[in-house]
Structure formats: structure tokens, C-alpha cells
């Protein structure tokens, strides 16, 4: 029995030595130290031994078990260390390798311009209002002094959704709605930025969908000089204190009298060049005194209340400010265009 135990010990230790994986080692452990293993079997046969032999063999069996278990443990630690080492080596990263550059986005030029314009008017006490892009015929035309059959409706060929609903052709219905929601005595001081839609053929200066920012101020004793003061402050902050403005007579159905505003050309300083087509002036927006019919339809007494309104296209403002030569650049999302206008 003693020889058998020593033989098993030799055998097991040799297998432990040969094992080259943690799993292989576990197999050896089960094979020799498991309940069905040969050592357990030897111990079971101890009943047949003499009283003297029993403790000696018992002790030896325990020593054998202990030495095998010890060898397994030592080998297991070594194998685990080696496996970890190998894994670390395989998964090691070169921290000195330069990182792949991350593309950082930023606000779209149009968003920046709209926000810049909003900030300027907020600074002058205007509030920002928004409204639906699908509008009723009433708010888009009727309430703005454009009754059915009015020739000016032809000026704005529209996308109709139903006979009474259309994609708004300007943001003016937001102002008509805002005035209409008041009781005819509260002053209004607002701007409304938003998308508008017209049946235009897209080219370098036209788009079937573009952005507008319109403003409205209604109160007692509002005059054309108030409009001029506000627009002058806007133009100087937007384009530079050295720019001059001028107002020219114009026509809009919703304002009377109506004007168009030019700023002095920066390129030639007013002498005339190709940018200003030789005039020294560049048109940037339209405006005027709110038509009495519009005030009346919104519930304001035009004898007591007056107002001014204006409208501009932020795309055009951005094109003038940054020298963008095609309105389609705002919508086609070519990153080579967009990334030029990311502020750091
Ligand atoms: C109400 C009363 C009056 C808004 C106005 C303009 C003149 C104007 C154009 C500029 C370029 C639109 O973006 S554009 O195509 N707009 O010239 N807009 S007065 O007048 C209003 C609006 C609402 C209730």
C-alpha cells in the first residue's frame, strides 16, 4: 500500500509538472484528489490493515494528498500568472500612439445668425414669438390685408395643403395671432423667427424654403422715426458702427407707408462697386407702419394705436456679412462650408 501511494504521488506530481493550462491542472486534481480518485480508494481499503500499519499508512496518505494539493496550488498560481501576463501582453495598448482626431460640431451658420439677431432685439426689449408653419388662409393672408383675389397674393405663390391651409409664406401670421390674442389695448413688441415656404425655383438667391425674422411694435404714438431708430441700431450692431442706413419708399400690403432699408456698401465705402452694383448701397430688409386695416382686424383702434413692422431674411444677412455666394449652401450641409463658420 505504501508503494502504491508513493507510485500515485510520483505519477500525480509528474502530471502536475506537465500540465500547461489551468484547466489541465483541474483535471489532474479531479483525477487524483477527487472522491473517486485512487488515493480515496486506498484510504477505503485501510480497514484491511493491521492496527500498527493503519496510522502509518493514514499519515502517508495524508502527506501524499497534501503534497499533491500543494504542487497543484503552486503550479496553478504559476499558470495563472503566466496566462495573465500573456493576456496583458496581447491586450497592451500603446499610450504614446496619437489619438484619432474627434470631429467637433458646432451651430449651423444660420442658427448662429438667427441667435445673433434675436439677441440684438432682446437687447432692445423685444420678445420672441413662434407660430405654426402650416397656417390658415385667414392668418397668412386675410388678416394681413391680403383678401381673396388680392393681386399681391400672386407675389407669393404658395404650397397649399388644403383649400384653407397652406405652408406659411411669411412669419407675419405669428404677429397677427399675437395681436389678435390681446384685448386691443396691450402694447406688442415682438420678433418672430422661423421657416417660410414659397413656390420658387431654387437658384443662388432663391429657395422654396427659407428663414425670416419679422418684428412688430404696436403702441400709442409709434412713428416712422421709431422704426428708423430701431433698424439703425440693429444695422450698426450687426454690420459695424461705420455703416450708414437709408430708407427708400416701397410697397407691402400690410404696411403703409412701406420702406426698404439699405446699408452702405462696406467694400467700396459708398463709391459704388460690383457688390453694390454701382449704387454704394445694399438692400437688407423691408418694413413700414402697420396698415390700419391690419390693426383693426387684430382688434386695435388705428386712431389710438399705431405700429411699425419689418421683415428680413437671415440667409441674406449672413450672405452679406460673410460673403456667402449661394443660398443653397445653407441647406445642402456640405461640411466644407459649415466648418468655416464654427466659432472656436
Ligand atoms: C403684421 C404687420 C406687418 C412685416 C414686413 C417686410 C416688410 C419685408 C421681407 C424682407 C425679406 C421678407 O425675408 S423677406 O423675403 N419682408 O420686407 N415684412 S413689413 O410686416 C408686418 C407683419 C405682420 C401683423
Amino acid at each position: 500500500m505504501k508503494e502504491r501511494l508513493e507510485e500515485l504521488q510520483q505519477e500525480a506530481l509528474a502530471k502536475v509538472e506537465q500540465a500547461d493550462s489551468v484547466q489541465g491542472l483541474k483535471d489532474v486534481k479531479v483525477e487524483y484528489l477527487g472522491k473517486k480518485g485512487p488515493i480515496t480508494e486506498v484510504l477505503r481499503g485501510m480497514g484491511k490493515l493491521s492496527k500498527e500499519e493503519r496510522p502509518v499508512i493514514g499519515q502517508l496518505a495524508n502527506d501524499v494528498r497534501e503534497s499533491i494539493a500543494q504542487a497543484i496550488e503552486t503550479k496553478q498560481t504559476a499558470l495563472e500568472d503566466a496566462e495573465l501576463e500573456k493576456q496583458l501582453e496581447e491586450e497592451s495598448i500603446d499610450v504614446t500612439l496619437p489619438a484619432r482626431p474627434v470631429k467637433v460640431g458646432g451651430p449651423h451658420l444660420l442658427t448662429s445668425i438667427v441667435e445673433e439677431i434675436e439677441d440684438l432685439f432682446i437687447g432692445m426689449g423685444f420678445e420672441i414669438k413662434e407660430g405654426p408653419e402650416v397656417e390658415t388662409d385667414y392668418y397668412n393672408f386675410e388678416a394681413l390685408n391680403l383678401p381673396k383675389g388680392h393681386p399681391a397674393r400672386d407675389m407669393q405663390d404658395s404650397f397649399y395643403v388644403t383649400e384653407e391651409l397652406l405652408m406659411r409664406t411669411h412669419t407675419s401670421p405669428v404677429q397677427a395671432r399675437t395681436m389678435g390674442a390681446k384685448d386691443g389695448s396691450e402694447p406688442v413688441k415682438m420678433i418672430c423667427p422661423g421657416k417660410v415656404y414659397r413656390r420658387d425655383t431654387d437658384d443662388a438667391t432663391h429657395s422654396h424654403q427659407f428663414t425670416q425674422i419679422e418684428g412688430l411694435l404696436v403702441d400709442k404714438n409709434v412713428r416712422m422715426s421709431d422704426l428708423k431708430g430701431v433698424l439703425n441700431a440693429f444695422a450698426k450692431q450687426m454690420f459695424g458702427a461705420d455703416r450708414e442706413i437709408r430708407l427708400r419708399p416701397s410697397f407691402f400690403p400690410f404696411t403703409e407707408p412701406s420702406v426698404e432699408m439699405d446699408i452702405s456698401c462696406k467694400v467700396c465705402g459708398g463709391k459704388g462697386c460690383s457688390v453694390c452694383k454701382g449704387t454704394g448701397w445694399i438692400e437688407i430688409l423691408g418694413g413700414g407702419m402697420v396698415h390700419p386695416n391690419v390693426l383693426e382686424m387684430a382688434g386695435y383702434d388705428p386712431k389710438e394705436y399705431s405700429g411699425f413692422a419689418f421683415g428680413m431674411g437671415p440667409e441674406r444677412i449672413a450672405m452679406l456679412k460673410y460673403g456667402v455666394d449661394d443660398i443653397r449652401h445653407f441647406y445642402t450641409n456640405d461640411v466644407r462650408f459649415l466648418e468655416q463658420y464654427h466659432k472656436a
Side-chain angles (χ1 to χ4, degrees), residues 40-338:
T40 315
E41 208 174 292
V42 169
L43 289 171
R44 269 199 209 111
M46 292 226 318
K48 293 185 198 118
L49 296 175
S50 67
K51 232 177 166 182
E52 293 73 30
E53 268 182 318
R54 219 176 283 159
V56 178
I57 295 297
Q59 180 65 46
L60 180 64
N62 277 338
D63 290 350
V64 167
R65 277 189 78 101
E66 192 55 38
S67 73
I68 296 171
Q70 188 66 50
I72 288 175
E73 203 181 305
T74 310
K75 182 75 189 232
Q76 181 160 345
T77 311
L79 282 173
E80 278 172 355
D81 285 354
E83 272 175 28
L84 182 65
E85 194 65 35
K86 192 169 157 239
Q87 191 184 0
L88 285 175
E89 206 154 286
E90 278 168 8
E91 292 177 5
S92 69
I93 46 166
D94 181 357
V95 289
T96 65
L97 209 66
R100 288 195 191 97
V102 176
K103 283 235 169 202
V104 179
H108 192 284
L109 173 58
L110 193 50
T111 307
S112 304
I113 285 283
V114 169
E115 285 175 358
E116 197 179 338
I117 297 171
E118 284 176 358
D119 285 349
L120 293 184
F121 282 101
I122 288 169
M124 290 190 268
F126 287 74
E127 60 174 332
I128 295 173
K129 292 276 184 189
E130 290 183 342
E133 288 179 22
V134 177
E135 258 301 354
T136 60
D137 183 275
Y138 177 79
Y139 279 114
N140 194 78
F141 291 129
E142 210 101 349
L144 295 157
N145 205 29
L146 286 153
K148 283 202 165 77
H150 191 288
R153 284 196 182 204
D154 295 339
M155 279 162 48
Q156 304 167 340
D157 274 357
S158 339
F159 290 114
Y160 274 86
V161 177
T162 67
E163 215 156 276
E164 282 304 311
L165 289 176
L166 71 157
M167 303 308 291
R168 65 181 180 193
T169 58
H170 43 194
T171 52
S172 317
V174 183
Q175 286 132 296
R177 283 175 181 276
T178 306
M179 280 199 291
K182 306 211 183 238
D183 68 359
S185 64
E186 255 179 280
V188 180
K189 197 173 178 185
M190 59 172 286
I191 61 162
C192 44
K195 291 192 189 109
V196 300
Y197 303 82
R198 293 187 190 175
R199 276 175 55 166
D200 243 336
T201 307
D202 294 0
D203 63 23
T205 51
H206 297 87
S207 172
H208 63 282
Q209 184 229 290
F210 61 103
T211 319
Q212 267 195 350
I213 297 183
E214 290 193 325
L216 174 73
L217 190 150
V218 177
D219 208 337
K220 289 179 179 165
N221 302 316
V222 179
R223 303 186 179 108
M224 187 72 117
S225 54
D226 298 314
L227 173 66
K228 191 173 175 181
V230 165
L231 294 183
N232 188 38
F234 162 71
K236 289 207 156 60
Q237 288 180 77
M238 196 71 197
F239 293 100
D242 55 338
R243 308 294 282 271
E244 296 300 322
I245 64 155
R246 74 172 185 186
L247 300 181
R248 287 179 286 105
S250 186
F251 170 80
F252 301 106
F254 25 78
T255 48
E256 181 59 36
S258 302
V259 293
E260 271 170 323
M261 185 174 93
D262 300 335
I263 49 163
S264 54
C265 180
K266 196 183 185 170
V267 177
C268 61
K271 285 191 197 80
C273 68
S274 63
V275 174
C276 57
K277 296 184 190 96
T279 64
W281 295 95
I282 299 169
E283 185 194 322
I284 60 162
L285 53 77
M289 300 308 291
V290 179
H291 196 290
N293 290 353
V294 174
L295 286 172
E296 207 166 321
M297 273 186 279
Y300 285 84
D301 179 358
K303 289 192 195 76
E304 212 182 333
Y305 285 86
S306 53
F308 68 70
F310 56 88
M312 69 184 92
E315 284 92 340
R316 182 169 164 76
I317 303 283
M319 286 166 87
L320 292 171
K321 192 163 171 169
Y322 295 104
V324 178
D325 63 0
D326 195 317
I327 195 169
R328 290 167 292 195
H329 283 311
F330 291 100
Y331 319 115
T332 43
N333 289 333
D334 185 331
V335 285
R336 291 169 302 178
F337 170 77
L338 298 176

